[in-house]
Amino acid sequence: MGEQKKAKAVIVGGSTAGVSCAHALISAGWDVVVLEKSSQPPRGSPTGAGLALDRQAINIIESWLPQPQLLQQTTLPLTIDQNQTADGEKEASRILTRDEDFNFRAAHWADLHGLLYNALPAEVFLWGHLYLSFRTSGDKTSVTVEAKVLQTEEIIEINGDLLVAADGCLSQIRKTFLPDLKLRYSGYCAWRGVLDFSGNEDSETIRRVYPDLGKCLYFDLRTGSHVVLYELLSKRLNWIWYVHQPEPGQKGNSVTMKVSSDMVENMYREAEKIWAPELVRVMRETKEPFINIIYDCDPLEQIFFDNVVLIGDAAHPTTPHGVRSTNMSILDAAVLGKCVEKWGAENIPSALEEYQRIRLPVASEQVLHSRRVGRIKQGLALRDRKPFDPKMASAEECEELQQKNMPFFANVPLSVD
């Protein structure tokens, strides 16, 4: 008898969710092909920024890498989760909460993506391929994906047993099944940037205000606004400033907004009114700051449809306040890999049913908790509490700011057992 033909997955989207899924499915014995519209792998991303990995995600990534130690070598520890405020206008900081058992690691998006991408066979990627549409066979056992080769305008078809939608929070594949689904605008956007301060000793003055940089995830709160700050490997600082504003009228398929020099100058002026001069200097010295429009989505009722499955932000668009997005994508991929390995290619519906049963309740709770934390930190109304004011908040109110309150914080289930 000949060797049984391997099952094949077509993954649309080559970002963290897509490359994670490629690892998990290859580990499960599948063939994969990854379609990505970008013309080549990222070589450091102008809009890439920092992210924080939890212990479970770290263990999973290390299991995929032929040299697991590389993950430790390209990340920095985040052992402290600290929320603080100023006692007066830009005066000395007052700690609201401090958790010294945080146990995350900080990575730059491009560094993590590069690690995952370089550990995969190059031939599984089709760069410069724009997803157009798909159709499933009458018996729901196979799927055909149509894509455009951007360099030649040629339309190609790729056949597989499973279609994985890893195409982000604005997923085109999800829209096929849920055409009326709308993302929820949070009421605020985030100015973001990464400052490379290697060779710039003057930038070290930021450590006077944030002395635990290099091991601490800082949240600095003011009434109605907050900043996130932490250090990345190679003397880089990742900062995020959440600012209330009407929903931007964004054209195209992106939640990242290009900014004009006037917008940047106005941001600097506003920052000077509320933040310490050392932090404003970090913002001013950052090349190409950009805006993320902060959206999420009410939890979906299902995340698979026949032999099409949603993972990552396509399955559960979330706000960043629970540092969940990347971690959820990695957990999605790992669980999907375990489920298809357990059930086999001939039982894809059962595998996807189990994937959904494991991941949907967890992701739903985490998305809603992240939404709540964002509204608290931005001083927005909630039904069960008055708007949070860091200057007046009680110790009990401050406790709710901590990352460890995230549902399934340290023990996300990987199976139904």
Side-chain angles (χ1 to χ4, degrees):
M1 286 176 64
E3 189 180 329
Q4 190 177 356
K5 184 170 164 285
K6 275 187 174 183
K8 180 180 175 183
V10 182
I11 301 169
V12 174
S15 193
T16 308
V19 292
S20 296
C21 202
H23 274 286
L25 292 175
I26 288 170
S27 298
W30 281 49
D31 283 335
V32 303
V33 60
V34 181
L35 299 179
E36 170 53 50
K37 62 181 181 292
S38 307
S39 60
Q40 60 187 31
R43 304 266 182 252
S45 168
T47 56
L51 55 91
L53 296 170
D54 68 23
R55 177 46 51 193
Q56 273 184 299
I58 289 165
N59 291 342
I60 290 165
I61 294 167
E62 287 178 340
S63 77
W64 292 334
L65 298 177
Q67 297 173 280
Q69 72 278 11
L70 290 177
L71 184 60
Q72 300 288 320
Q73 292 168 13
T74 52
T75 56
L76 283 182
L78 286 175
T79 57
I80 304 165
D81 164 29
Q82 180 163 310
N83 290 271
Q84 62 185 48
T85 191
D87 269 331
E89 280 303 305
K90 298 191 274 189
E91 288 173 18
S93 294
R94 176 168 62 89
I95 294 174
L96 300 172
T97 66
R98 181 178 171 94
D99 175 8
E100 296 190 354
D101 296 312
F102 188 48
N103 204 23
F104 277 47
R105 292 191 75 84
H108 190 284
W109 179 89
D111 294 345
L112 177 64
H113 188 275
L115 264 187
L116 290 167
Y117 167 72
N118 289 324
L120 287 166
E123 63 269 17
V124 309
F125 288 88
L126 295 178
W127 299 99
H129 283 62
L130 177 68
Y131 162 82
L132 295 176
S133 64
F134 74 91
R135 62 183 184 274
T136 49
S137 60
D139 61 1
K140 313 292 188 191
T141 60
S142 67
V143 62
T144 301
V145 176
E146 199 172 79
K148 181 194 283 189
V149 185
L150 293 176
Q151 199 168 2
T152 64
E153 300 284 300
E154 179 191 1
I155 307 293
I156 64 164
E157 289 191 344
I158 302 165
N159 296 311
D161 302 287
L162 174 67
L163 172 58
V164 180
D167 53 342
C169 70
L170 298 170
S171 170
Q172 292 299 302
I173 297 171
R174 185 185 66 219
K175 198 174 284 185
T176 308
F177 300 102
L178 303 168
D180 299 324
L181 182 76
K182 297 265 191 302
L183 296 184
R184 182 200 70 99
Y185 177 56
S186 64
Y188 48 90
C189 290
W191 279 96
R192 301 196 66 167
V194 175
L195 171 65
D196 183 343
F197 63 95
S198 54
N200 183 356
E201 295 305 313
D202 291 343
S203 294
E204 294 280 355
T205 58
I206 190 69
R207 295 189 194 279
R208 291 207 294 262
V209 187
Y210 302 96
D212 285 325
L213 281 170
K215 61 180 180 180
C216 184
L217 176 61
Y218 279 104
F219 296 89
D220 208 342
L221 286 78
R222 300 294 182 271
T223 304
S225 187
H226 74 291
V227 153
V228 183
L229 185 71
Y230 54 95
E231 188 170 352
L232 304 171
L233 197 70
S234 306
K235 289 189 174 268
R236 292 172 294 178
L237 283 178
N238 182 75
W239 59 270
I240 311 166
W241 177 23
Y242 294 99
V243 180
H244 293 292
Q245 66 176 76
E247 182 176 2
Q250 181 71 338
K251 294 194 180 95
N253 195 27
S254 177
V255 294
T256 299
M257 199 164 118
K258 293 260 192 307
V259 294
S260 66
S261 54
D262 285 350
M263 291 167 72
V264 174
E265 283 301 322
N266 184 60
M267 181 267 287
Y268 295 152
R269 285 193 297 272
E270 292 300 313
E272 283 169 349
K273 295 176 186 175
I274 55 173
W275 300 115
E278 293 87 349
L279 179 56
V280 177
R281 182 175 187 166
V282 165
M283 295 174 175
R284 282 190 173 276
E285 291 180 355
T286 299
K287 290 179 181 165
E288 297 181 30
F290 61 98
I291 288 177
N292 270 159
I293 309 169
I294 306 301
Y295 290 104
D296 68 7
C297 177
D298 289 340
L300 306 185
E301 291 180 9
Q302 64 183 104
I303 52 176
F304 82 95
F305 307 84
D306 298 323
N307 55 347
V308 181
V309 64
L310 310 180
I311 75 160
D313 289 342
H316 36 68
T318 186
T319 59
H321 308 293
V323 289
R324 282 294 103 194
S325 178
T326 301
N327 292 299
M328 285 200 286
S329 295
I330 292 161
L331 270 288
D332 285 351
V335 170
L336 181 62
K338 284 179 185 295
C339 290
V340 298
E341 186 174 24
K342 170 182 170 180
W343 286 96
E346 62 282 6
N347 291 306
I348 289 174
S350 299
L352 299 186
E353 182 75 51
E354 184 163 318
Y355 161 76
Q356 176 174 282
R357 203 158 64 243
I358 296 167
R359 291 299 298 148
L360 191 56
V362 174
S364 299
E365 282 196 51
Q366 292 187 332
V367 166
L368 294 175
H369 183 82
S370 183
R371 177 188 296 183
R372 178 180 175 84
V373 171
R375 292 189 68 81
I376 291 171
K377 290 186 176 184
Q378 285 297 102
L380 293 167
L382 287 160
R383 286 179 188 162
D384 61 340
R385 63 176 296 163
K386 62 183 187 293
F388 182 80
D389 183 346
K391 291 180 179 173
M392 311 293 292
S394 67
E396 187 181 2
E397 288 173 318
C398 291
E399 285 302 306
E400 203 169 350
L401 305 173
Q402 294 192 89
Q403 292 295 320
K404 68 182 181 184
N405 294 317
M406 172 63 67
F408 307 97
F409 175 69
N411 58 342
V412 173
L414 297 176
S415 68
V416 286
D417 303 335

